[in-house]
Amino acid sequence: MIPAAKPIIGDEEREAVDRVLRSGMLTSGPEVAAFEDEFSEYVGGRHCIAMNSGTSALHLALLAMGIGSGDEVIVPSFSFAATANAVALTGATPVFADIDRATFNLDPEAARAAITPRTKAIMPVHLYGQLAAMDRFESLAEEHGLQIIEDSAQSHLAAFNGRNAGEWGQTACFSFYPTKNMTSGEGGMVVTPDEKVARMLRLLRSQGMERRYENEVVGFNTRMTDIHAAIGRVQLRKLPEWTKQRQANAAFLDANIKGVVIPHVAPGATHVYHQYTIRIPVETGAERDAFMASLSAKGVGSGVYYPIPIHRLPSFKLTLDLPETELACRRVLSLPVHPSLSGDDLKSVAEAVSQTASELL
Ligand SMILES: *Cc1c(COP(=O)(O)O)cnc(C)c1O
């Protein structure tokens, strides 16, 4: 079976962890500081603040931006629940807006229509490894005096008009969960150009303390450990090569898959293919299940990100009219695109998809 995702852990990662364990320095220390410095090189030299997860990164970034009870933050409903959870955890209200059909990303016009006097920020998600239409969100934010927070959990090294994910918002948040394009085991990173926001994030992640026992604000413990940072540093060095491999794999699938809609790359976008997501012309989730079962019978794993829009999950339970979100939830399917696929694997994926499309559609 060709797996839909596969974290790559090698000797270098094992040796890095061993080095930390031998040093006796287990919590945040020199490895975290070095990881932050090294990550900063990929986000235009902005401040980087490491966290224990992407979710903590989003939650604390919103708090550091001053967002809380009574505020509204515009988010897509077609994303992982953490996007909206982070907003709700601050006491603010996530306001769900519809997506653009071609890219699956938050639609700037839908976001504009969702602005109210309470709106404080917009949180575009760079879904599947492609940046949202950041030029348009930038003008929208400027026009209405709003902040932007990028959910960059799936978009390490992705770019739009020559600027990377992380180089657009007041803050941007990355995840290093094992299935992401690089991992630290668990982990996250907030990126910001704002020195004050950076300082607040360092306080919030560590009990509100800069100097020990002189707690300045009410804070959390969401620090990254040196063990995780050591893994992340090794992976970050491999990330550019892995990204090229993902892009080459996607180009092969683009050229060889027939009968379904392949990913659309917007002009100016550098897609990093966290997921290679096709759209199949089906009416129900059950028909997609049959498509997946057929792929599975041919030895090809696949996944659905995401089958239920966030606003309809039991945790939010809202009735909203988001037709493009609903359509995407029924029709998307993500195929293996990870860097460990062989040439034969890629051929099998393309053949299985094209054959299934001709049998079932
Ligand atoms: C993975 C992910 C997160 C959360 O990151 P964790 O590290 O798992 O907490 C948030 N948003 C999106 C879009 C994600 O894919």
Side-chain angles (χ1 to χ4, degrees):
M1 189 73 160
I2 301 169
K6 188 170 179 229
I8 308 172
I9 296 293
D11 287 339
E12 283 180 84
E13 283 86 346
R14 278 186 281 276
E15 281 157 21
V17 169
D18 198 45
R19 185 178 71 234
V20 174
L21 293 178
R22 283 173 200 284
S23 79
M25 178 72 121
L26 302 186
T27 183
S28 289
E31 294 286 341
V32 169
F35 187 33
E36 291 173 338
D37 281 351
E38 288 157 10
F39 200 84
S40 176
E41 289 169 27
Y42 292 101
V43 288
R46 292 185 167 196
H47 304 282
C48 291
I49 302 95
M51 299 281 171
N52 61 358
S53 74
T55 305
S56 298
L58 288 167
H59 180 199
L60 271 58
L62 287 161
L63 292 175
M65 289 160 75
I67 285 160
S69 180
D71 298 334
E72 293 177 356
V73 178
I74 298 169
V75 298
S77 185
F78 190 60
S79 181
F80 183 51
T83 302
N85 288 350
V87 175
L89 286 169
T90 68
T93 304
V95 173
F96 297 99
D98 214 351
I99 54 169
D100 161 59
R101 184 175 297 188
T103 62
F104 305 108
N105 277 326
L106 186 62
D107 176 352
E109 283 316 307
R112 176 192 294 279
I115 294 173
T116 76
R118 294 184 160 214
T119 308
K120 287 285 154 56
I122 307 176
M123 191 196 291
V125 178
H126 306 319
L127 202 71
Y128 302 146
Q130 172 164 230
L131 264 68
M134 294 310 291
D135 52 344
R136 295 177 62 197
F137 285 112
E138 206 165 50
S139 347
L140 190 60
E142 208 163 292
E143 211 178 297
H144 293 267
L146 305 175
Q147 303 189 80
I148 289 182
I149 167 168
E150 299 170 64
D151 183 338
S152 307
Q154 305 187 356
S155 60
H156 317 71
L157 304 196
F160 181 63
N161 289 349
R163 275 160 77 190
N164 277 4
E167 294 187 57
W168 295 84
Q170 272 69 49
T171 61
C173 300
F174 292 83
S175 164
F176 307 119
Y177 183 75
T179 57
K180 303 289 154 91
N181 287 18
M182 62 168 285
T183 186
S184 60
E186 293 267 12
M189 190 76 79
V190 186
V191 171
T192 179
D194 186 324
E195 171 63 44
K196 282 206 187 102
V197 170
R199 178 165 195 275
M200 181 55 79
L201 283 160
R202 288 191 197 100
L203 288 175
L204 286 173
R205 78 173 165 187
S206 194
Q207 316 285 8
M209 291 190 297
E210 187 173 32
R211 282 181 306 276
R212 188 176 279 262
Y213 307 132
E214 293 182 27
N215 311 54
E216 299 173 41
V217 297
V218 177
F220 300 78
N221 174 2
T222 58
R223 294 183 298 264
M224 179 180 275
T225 72
D226 262 20
I227 303 169
H228 294 91
I231 300 171
R233 291 181 69 197
V234 173
Q235 296 252 318
L236 184 60
R237 285 199 292 276
K238 299 176 180 172
L239 182 64
E241 210 43 56
W242 285 340
T243 302
K244 279 188 207 142
Q245 194 58 56
R246 283 179 182 273
Q247 290 162 335
N249 292 351
F252 180 90
L253 296 176
D254 282 350
N256 291 282
I257 285 179
K258 307 274 176 283
V260 297
V261 181
I262 59 172
H264 171 77
V265 182
T270 304
H271 200 315
V272 296
Y273 296 97
H274 168 59
Q275 300 291 351
Y276 183 93
T277 302
I278 58 171
R279 189 193 316 261
I280 48 179
V282 295
E283 284 314 313
T284 71
E287 292 172 277
R288 179 179 48 200
D289 289 348
F291 200 103
M292 292 175 80
S294 164
L295 292 184
S296 175
K298 295 170 167 60
V300 173
S302 59
V304 175
Y305 313 100
Y306 298 87
I308 305 173
I310 303 174
H311 74 273
R312 285 206 285 111
L313 292 171
S315 43
F316 287 99
K317 237 191 209 149
L318 296 171
T319 307
L320 300 170
D321 186 27
L322 303 176
E324 295 300 332
T325 297
E326 298 289 351
L327 190 73
C329 284
R330 289 195 301 273
R331 295 192 171 192
V332 293
L333 188 59
S334 297
L335 304 173
V337 72
H338 50 83
S340 15
L341 296 171
S342 68
D344 282 348
D345 289 340
L346 285 162
K347 267 189 218 144
S348 304
V349 172
E351 272 170 26
V353 173
S354 305
Q355 235 180 52
T356 301
S358 75
E359 285 161 19
L360 294 188
L361 303 178

